[in-house]
Amino acid sequence: MATLTGKARLAGVLGWPVMHSRSPLMHGFWLKRHGIDGAYIPLPVERDFETAVRGLQAAGFRGLNVTKPHKEAAFAICDTVEPSALRAGAVNTLVFDGRGITGSNTDGFGFMAGLAEAGITLDGASALVLGAGGGARAVCAALLDAGAIVTLANRSRHRAENVAAALPGLSVTDWEEREQALGECDLLVNTTSLGMAGSEPLTLDLRQAKTSLCVADIVYVPLETPLLAQARAAGLRTVDGLAMLLHQARPGFKAWFGVDPVVDDELRRLVLASLEA
Ligand SMILES: NC(=O)c1ccc[n+]([C@@H]2O[C@H](COP(=O)([O-])OP(=O)(O)OC[C@H]3O[C@@H](n4cnc5c(N)ncnc54)[C@H](OP(=O)(O)O)[C@@H]3O)[C@@H](O)[C@H]2O)c1
Protein backbone atom coordinates (compact mmCIF):
# COMPACT_ATOMS: atom_id res chain seq x y z
CA MET A 1 0.00 0.00 0.00
CA ALA A 2 1.22 3.52 -0.78
CA THR A 3 2.29 5.72 2.13
CA LEU A 4 -0.68 7.64 3.51
CA THR A 5 -0.49 11.40 4.05
CA GLY A 6 -2.13 13.34 6.85
CA LYS A 7 -5.00 14.06 4.44
CA ALA A 8 -5.69 10.40 3.70
CA ARG A 9 -9.36 9.44 3.44
CA LEU A 10 -10.14 6.53 5.74
CA ALA A 11 -13.00 4.03 5.80
CA GLY A 12 -13.41 0.39 6.76
CA VAL A 13 -15.69 -2.53 7.49
CA LEU A 14 -16.78 -3.06 11.07
CA GLY A 15 -18.21 -6.38 12.25
CA TRP A 16 -17.50 -9.67 13.96
CA PRO A 17 -15.94 -11.58 12.41
CA VAL A 18 -14.67 -9.49 9.49
CA MET A 19 -11.90 -11.71 8.21
CA HIS A 20 -14.19 -13.29 5.58
CA SER A 21 -15.33 -9.91 4.22
CA ARG A 22 -14.31 -9.22 0.61
CA SER A 23 -14.85 -5.48 1.11
CA PRO A 24 -11.17 -4.66 1.88
CA LEU A 25 -10.18 -6.45 -1.35
CA MET A 26 -12.72 -4.55 -3.47
CA HIS A 27 -12.07 -1.12 -1.97
CA GLY A 28 -8.31 -1.71 -1.95
CA PHE A 29 -8.48 -2.54 -5.67
CA TRP A 30 -10.37 0.66 -6.47
CA LEU A 31 -8.15 2.83 -4.24
CA LYS A 32 -5.09 1.57 -6.10
CA ARG A 33 -6.70 1.89 -9.52
CA HIS A 34 -7.62 5.53 -8.88
CA GLY A 35 -4.38 6.39 -7.06
CA ILE A 36 -6.38 7.70 -4.09
CA ASP A 37 -4.60 8.80 -0.91
CA GLY A 38 -6.75 6.63 1.34
CA ALA A 39 -7.23 3.28 3.04
CA TYR A 40 -10.06 0.84 3.73
CA ILE A 41 -9.48 -1.17 6.89
CA PRO A 42 -11.02 -4.37 8.35
CA LEU A 43 -12.21 -3.54 11.89
CA PRO A 44 -13.06 -6.61 14.00
CA VAL A 45 -15.42 -5.31 16.69
CA GLU A 46 -17.59 -7.77 18.60
CA ARG A 47 -19.07 -5.53 21.32
CA ASP A 48 -18.98 -1.79 22.09
CA PHE A 49 -20.29 -0.99 18.63
CA GLU A 50 -21.23 2.59 19.51
CA THR A 51 -17.90 3.34 21.22
CA ALA A 52 -16.02 2.02 18.20
CA VAL A 53 -18.09 3.99 15.67
CA ARG A 54 -17.92 7.27 17.63
CA GLY A 55 -14.16 6.80 18.08
CA LEU A 56 -13.59 6.26 14.36
CA GLN A 57 -15.78 9.26 13.55
CA ALA A 58 -13.80 11.40 16.00
CA ALA A 59 -10.55 10.13 14.47
CA GLY A 60 -11.57 11.51 11.06
CA PHE A 61 -12.88 8.41 9.27
CA ARG A 62 -15.21 9.20 6.34
CA GLY A 63 -17.47 6.28 7.17
CA LEU A 64 -17.88 2.54 7.46
CA ASN A 65 -19.47 -0.56 6.12
CA VAL A 66 -21.32 -2.35 8.89
CA THR A 67 -21.73 -6.10 8.82
CA LYS A 68 -23.02 -8.85 11.12
CA PRO A 69 -23.90 -8.65 13.98
CA HIS A 70 -24.34 -4.85 13.92
CA LYS A 71 -26.59 -4.20 10.90
CA GLU A 72 -29.70 -3.62 13.02
CA ALA A 73 -27.89 -1.89 15.93
CA ALA A 74 -26.50 0.62 13.45
CA PHE A 75 -29.93 2.34 13.17
CA ALA A 76 -29.64 3.72 16.70
CA ILE A 77 -26.40 5.55 16.01
CA CYS A 78 -27.57 7.33 12.84
CA ASP A 79 -28.58 11.01 12.81
CA THR A 80 -30.22 10.37 9.44
CA VAL A 81 -31.47 7.04 8.11
CA GLU A 82 -32.00 6.88 4.36
CA PRO A 83 -35.11 5.17 2.91
CA SER A 84 -32.94 2.34 1.51
CA ALA A 85 -32.07 1.25 5.08
CA LEU A 86 -35.61 1.70 6.41
CA ARG A 87 -36.96 -0.40 3.55
CA ALA A 88 -34.27 -3.08 3.92
CA GLY A 89 -34.53 -3.15 7.74
CA ALA A 90 -30.74 -2.96 8.06
CA VAL A 91 -27.93 -0.42 7.73
CA ASN A 92 -24.79 -1.57 5.90
CA THR A 93 -23.18 1.79 5.07
CA LEU A 94 -22.42 4.77 7.34
CA VAL A 95 -21.22 8.13 6.04
CA PHE A 96 -19.69 10.66 8.46
CA ASP A 97 -19.90 14.29 7.36
CA GLY A 98 -21.08 17.71 8.52
CA ARG A 99 -24.61 16.34 8.92
CA GLY A 100 -23.42 13.71 11.40
CA ILE A 101 -23.90 10.00 10.71
CA THR A 102 -26.04 8.92 7.76
CA GLY A 103 -27.02 5.28 7.39
CA SER A 104 -28.10 3.55 4.20
CA ASN A 105 -28.38 0.08 2.75
CA THR A 106 -26.74 -0.62 -0.60
CA ASP A 107 -27.74 -4.30 -1.08
CA GLY A 108 -30.82 -3.44 -3.15
CA PHE A 109 -28.76 -1.07 -5.30
CA GLY A 110 -26.19 -3.84 -5.81
CA PHE A 111 -28.82 -6.39 -6.75
CA MET A 112 -30.52 -4.06 -9.25
CA ALA A 113 -27.19 -3.01 -10.79
CA GLY A 114 -26.43 -6.71 -11.36
CA LEU A 115 -29.76 -7.15 -13.16
CA ALA A 116 -29.18 -4.00 -15.23
CA GLU A 117 -25.71 -5.24 -16.20
CA ALA A 118 -27.39 -8.40 -17.55
CA GLY A 119 -29.90 -6.29 -19.52
CA ILE A 120 -32.92 -7.25 -17.37
CA THR A 121 -35.70 -4.64 -17.17
CA LEU A 122 -38.43 -4.88 -14.57
CA ASP A 123 -41.19 -2.32 -14.90
CA GLY A 124 -44.44 -4.28 -14.54
CA ALA A 125 -42.59 -7.61 -14.39
CA SER A 126 -43.64 -10.42 -12.03
CA ALA A 127 -41.00 -11.64 -9.61
CA LEU A 128 -40.93 -14.57 -7.21
CA VAL A 129 -38.45 -14.19 -4.36
CA LEU A 130 -37.50 -17.22 -2.23
CA GLY A 131 -36.28 -16.64 1.33
CA ALA A 132 -36.96 -14.08 4.05
CA GLY A 133 -33.55 -13.62 5.65
CA GLY A 134 -31.12 -10.71 5.64
CA GLY A 135 -30.76 -10.43 1.87
CA ALA A 136 -34.42 -10.98 0.98
CA ARG A 137 -35.90 -7.75 2.32
CA ALA A 138 -33.43 -5.52 0.48
CA VAL A 139 -34.06 -7.44 -2.76
CA CYS A 140 -37.87 -7.27 -2.36
CA ALA A 141 -37.78 -3.53 -1.58
CA ALA A 142 -35.60 -2.79 -4.60
CA LEU A 143 -37.81 -4.85 -6.92
CA LEU A 144 -40.98 -3.12 -5.65
CA ASP A 145 -39.33 0.29 -6.03
CA ALA A 146 -38.48 -0.63 -9.64
CA GLY A 147 -42.17 -1.29 -10.37
CA ALA A 148 -42.15 -5.11 -10.23
CA ILE A 149 -45.02 -7.20 -8.86
CA VAL A 150 -43.36 -9.26 -6.13
CA THR A 151 -44.38 -12.50 -4.40
CA LEU A 152 -42.37 -13.91 -1.51
CA ALA A 153 -42.16 -17.55 -0.40
CA ASN A 154 -40.22 -18.74 2.63
CA ARG A 155 -40.02 -22.05 4.47
CA SER A 156 -41.15 -20.31 7.69
CA ARG A 157 -44.16 -18.40 6.44
CA HIS A 158 -44.27 -16.03 9.44
CA ARG A 159 -40.87 -14.59 8.45
CA ALA A 160 -42.19 -13.87 4.94
CA GLU A 161 -45.22 -12.18 6.51
CA ASN A 162 -42.95 -10.02 8.67
CA VAL A 163 -41.18 -8.83 5.52
CA ALA A 164 -44.52 -8.17 3.79
CA ALA A 165 -45.74 -6.17 6.81
CA ALA A 166 -42.79 -3.82 6.30
CA LEU A 167 -43.15 -3.60 2.51
CA PRO A 168 -46.67 -2.67 1.33
CA GLY A 169 -47.51 -4.28 -1.99
CA LEU A 170 -45.54 -7.47 -1.34
CA SER A 171 -47.57 -10.71 -1.55
CA VAL A 172 -46.79 -13.91 0.30
CA THR A 173 -47.35 -17.46 -0.86
CA ASP A 174 -46.65 -20.80 0.84
CA TRP A 175 -43.23 -22.39 0.37
CA GLU A 176 -44.99 -25.52 -0.95
CA GLU A 177 -46.73 -23.38 -3.61
CA ARG A 178 -43.51 -21.96 -5.06
CA GLU A 179 -43.60 -24.00 -8.28
CA GLN A 180 -47.17 -22.96 -9.06
CA ALA A 181 -46.29 -19.33 -8.30
CA LEU A 182 -43.42 -19.52 -10.77
CA GLY A 183 -45.71 -20.18 -13.74
CA GLU A 184 -46.26 -16.60 -14.91
CA CYS A 185 -43.09 -15.06 -13.47
CA ASP A 186 -40.49 -13.07 -15.40
CA LEU A 187 -37.90 -13.23 -12.63
CA LEU A 188 -37.04 -15.79 -9.95
CA VAL A 189 -34.64 -14.80 -7.15
CA ASN A 190 -33.15 -17.22 -4.65
CA THR A 191 -32.19 -15.42 -1.44
CA THR A 192 -32.20 -18.54 0.74
CA SER A 193 -28.95 -20.19 1.74
CA LEU A 194 -29.97 -23.29 -0.24
CA GLY A 195 -27.36 -24.03 -2.91
CA MET A 196 -24.60 -22.42 -0.88
CA ALA A 197 -21.46 -24.56 -0.40
CA GLY A 198 -22.22 -26.90 2.50
CA SER A 199 -26.01 -26.52 2.17
CA GLU A 200 -28.43 -28.71 0.31
CA PRO A 201 -29.53 -27.48 -3.14
CA LEU A 202 -32.81 -25.69 -3.78
CA THR A 203 -35.26 -28.08 -5.40
CA LEU A 204 -37.49 -26.38 -7.92
CA ASP A 205 -38.88 -27.70 -11.19
CA LEU A 206 -38.32 -25.02 -13.81
CA ARG A 207 -40.18 -26.87 -16.57
CA GLN A 208 -43.40 -24.93 -15.95
CA ALA A 209 -41.59 -21.59 -16.21
CA LYS A 210 -41.85 -19.18 -19.14
CA THR A 211 -38.95 -19.49 -21.59
CA SER A 212 -38.26 -15.78 -20.97
CA LEU A 213 -37.76 -16.33 -17.20
CA CYS A 214 -34.58 -14.85 -15.72
CA VAL A 215 -33.17 -16.75 -12.72
CA ALA A 216 -31.05 -14.81 -10.21
CA ASP A 217 -29.27 -16.28 -7.19
CA ILE A 218 -27.71 -14.05 -4.52
CA VAL A 219 -25.61 -16.97 -3.21
CA TYR A 220 -22.06 -16.49 -4.55
CA VAL A 221 -20.22 -19.54 -3.16
CA PRO A 222 -20.34 -21.42 -5.46
CA LEU A 223 -20.77 -18.87 -8.20
CA GLU A 224 -22.82 -21.31 -10.26
CA THR A 225 -25.31 -22.76 -7.79
CA PRO A 226 -27.24 -25.91 -8.73
CA LEU A 227 -30.25 -23.63 -9.40
CA LEU A 228 -28.29 -21.48 -11.87
CA ALA A 229 -26.80 -24.58 -13.53
CA GLN A 230 -30.31 -25.99 -13.94
CA ALA A 231 -31.58 -22.70 -15.38
CA ARG A 232 -28.65 -22.38 -17.78
CA ALA A 233 -29.18 -25.97 -18.97
CA ALA A 234 -32.84 -25.09 -19.63
CA GLY A 235 -31.73 -22.12 -21.76
CA LEU A 236 -32.92 -19.49 -19.26
CA ARG A 237 -31.09 -16.23 -18.56
CA THR A 238 -29.20 -16.15 -15.25
CA VAL A 239 -27.62 -13.58 -12.91
CA ASP A 240 -25.16 -14.77 -10.25
CA GLY A 241 -24.60 -13.43 -6.72
CA LEU A 242 -21.20 -11.90 -7.40
CA ALA A 243 -22.72 -9.00 -9.33
CA MET A 244 -24.68 -7.91 -6.22
CA LEU A 245 -21.66 -8.31 -3.96
CA LEU A 246 -19.48 -6.12 -6.19
CA HIS A 247 -22.02 -3.41 -7.03
CA GLN A 248 -23.25 -2.96 -3.43
CA ALA A 249 -19.79 -1.62 -2.58
CA ARG A 250 -19.99 1.27 -5.08
CA PRO A 251 -22.12 3.83 -3.18
CA GLY A 252 -19.89 3.67 -0.09
CA PHE A 253 -16.72 4.07 -2.13
CA LYS A 254 -18.20 7.08 -3.92
CA ALA A 255 -19.28 8.75 -0.67
CA TRP A 256 -15.95 8.21 1.15
CA PHE A 257 -13.41 8.48 -1.64
CA GLY A 258 -15.18 10.72 -4.19
CA VAL A 259 -15.15 8.41 -7.23
CA ASP A 260 -17.96 6.21 -8.58
CA PRO A 261 -15.92 3.07 -9.26
CA VAL A 262 -16.46 0.64 -12.10
CA VAL A 263 -17.17 -3.07 -11.68
CA ASP A 264 -15.23 -4.81 -14.44
CA ASP A 265 -13.81 -8.24 -15.29
CA GLU A 266 -10.51 -7.53 -13.54
CA LEU A 267 -12.29 -6.90 -10.21
CA ARG A 268 -14.63 -9.81 -10.80
CA ARG A 269 -11.66 -12.16 -11.39
CA LEU A 270 -9.85 -10.86 -8.32
CA VAL A 271 -12.81 -11.39 -5.98
CA LEU A 272 -13.68 -14.71 -7.58
CA ALA A 273 -10.12 -15.97 -7.00
CA SER A 274 -10.38 -15.02 -3.32
CA LEU A 275 -13.71 -16.88 -3.03
CA GLU A 276 -12.19 -19.98 -4.59
CA ALA A 277 -9.04 -19.87 -2.43
N1 LIG B 1 -24.63 -11.49 -3.18
C1 LIG B 1 -24.69 -10.76 -2.09
O1 LIG B 1 -24.22 -9.62 -2.04
C2 LIG B 1 -25.37 -11.32 -0.88
C3 LIG B 1 -25.94 -10.49 0.09
C4 LIG B 1 -26.59 -11.07 1.20
C5 LIG B 1 -26.64 -12.46 1.30
N2 LIG B 1 -26.05 -13.23 0.33
C6 LIG B 1 -26.11 -14.71 0.41
O2 LIG B 1 -27.48 -15.09 0.51
C7 LIG B 1 -27.60 -16.28 1.28
C8 LIG B 1 -28.63 -16.03 2.40
O3 LIG B 1 -28.08 -15.04 3.26
P1 LIG B 1 -28.94 -14.35 4.43
O4 LIG B 1 -28.00 -13.51 5.23
O5 LIG B 1 -30.18 -13.72 3.86
O6 LIG B 1 -29.32 -15.68 5.28
P2 LIG B 1 -30.30 -15.83 6.53
O7 LIG B 1 -30.68 -14.50 7.07
O8 LIG B 1 -29.63 -16.82 7.41
O9 LIG B 1 -31.59 -16.49 5.86
C9 LIG B 1 -31.54 -17.79 5.36
C10 LIG B 1 -32.79 -18.05 4.51
O10 LIG B 1 -32.64 -19.36 3.93
C11 LIG B 1 -33.78 -20.14 4.28
N3 LIG B 1 -33.39 -21.54 4.44
C12 LIG B 1 -32.31 -22.03 5.09
N4 LIG B 1 -32.30 -23.38 5.03
C13 LIG B 1 -33.42 -23.75 4.35
C14 LIG B 1 -33.98 -25.01 3.95
N5 LIG B 1 -33.38 -26.18 4.27
N6 LIG B 1 -35.13 -25.02 3.24
C15 LIG B 1 -35.75 -23.84 2.92
N7 LIG B 1 -35.26 -22.63 3.25
C16 LIG B 1 -34.11 -22.58 3.97
C17 LIG B 1 -34.28 -19.55 5.58
O11 LIG B 1 -35.62 -19.92 5.77
P3 LIG B 1 -36.28 -19.89 7.26
O12 LIG B 1 -36.68 -18.46 7.49
O13 LIG B 1 -37.43 -20.81 7.15
O14 LIG B 1 -35.20 -20.37 8.22
C18 LIG B 1 -34.08 -18.06 5.31
O15 LIG B 1 -35.11 -17.54 4.50
C19 LIG B 1 -26.18 -16.61 1.78
O16 LIG B 1 -25.59 -17.56 0.92
C20 LIG B 1 -25.45 -15.28 1.66
O17 LIG B 1 -24.06 -15.43 1.44
C21 LIG B 1 -25.45 -12.70 -0.74
Side-chain angles (χ1 to χ4, degrees), residues 132-135 154-156 159 191-193 196 218 220 241 244-245:
N154 189 53
R155 176 180 61 177
S156 314
R159 289 188 76 193
T191 74
T192 73
S193 48
M196 196 169 99
I218 74 164
Y220 52 83
M244 174 175 173
L245 181 72

Side-chain angles (χ1 to χ4, degrees), residues 68 71 107 130-136 154-157 159 175 190-194 196 200 202 217-221 240-246 248:
K68 287 177 182 171
K71 284 187 179 188
D107 278 342
L130 303 178
N154 189 53
R155 176 180 61 177
S156 314
R157 187 179 165 113
R159 289 188 76 193
W175 180 247
N190 175 48
T191 74
T192 73
S193 48
L194 292 171
M196 196 169 99
E200 54 192 282
L202 171 67
D217 202 327
I218 74 164
V219 171
Y220 52 83
V221 180
D240 65 48
L242 188 55
M244 174 175 173
L245 181 72
L246 300 177
Q248 63 76 30

Side-chain angles (χ1 to χ4, degrees), residues 82-149:
E82 290 194 347
S84 60
L86 292 171
R87 299 268 285 158
V91 169
N92 73 353
T93 303
L94 298 176
V95 174
F96 308 153
D97 60 18
R99 294 183 303 157
I101 301 179
T102 301
S104 62
N105 189 300
T106 61
D107 278 342
F109 170 87
F111 177 71
M112 298 307 288
L115 289 186
E117 199 177 63
I120 312 294
T121 50
L122 284 165
D123 198 17
S126 286
L128 174 65
V129 178
L130 303 178
R137 190 162 147 184
V139 166
C140 288
L143 289 172
L144 289 166
D145 291 347
I149 300 151

Side-chain angles (χ1 to χ4, degrees), residues 69-84:
H70 306 303
K71 284 187 179 188
E72 288 82 25
F75 277 101
I77 209 168
C78 293
D79 299 297
T80 309
V81 178
E82 290 194 347
S84 60

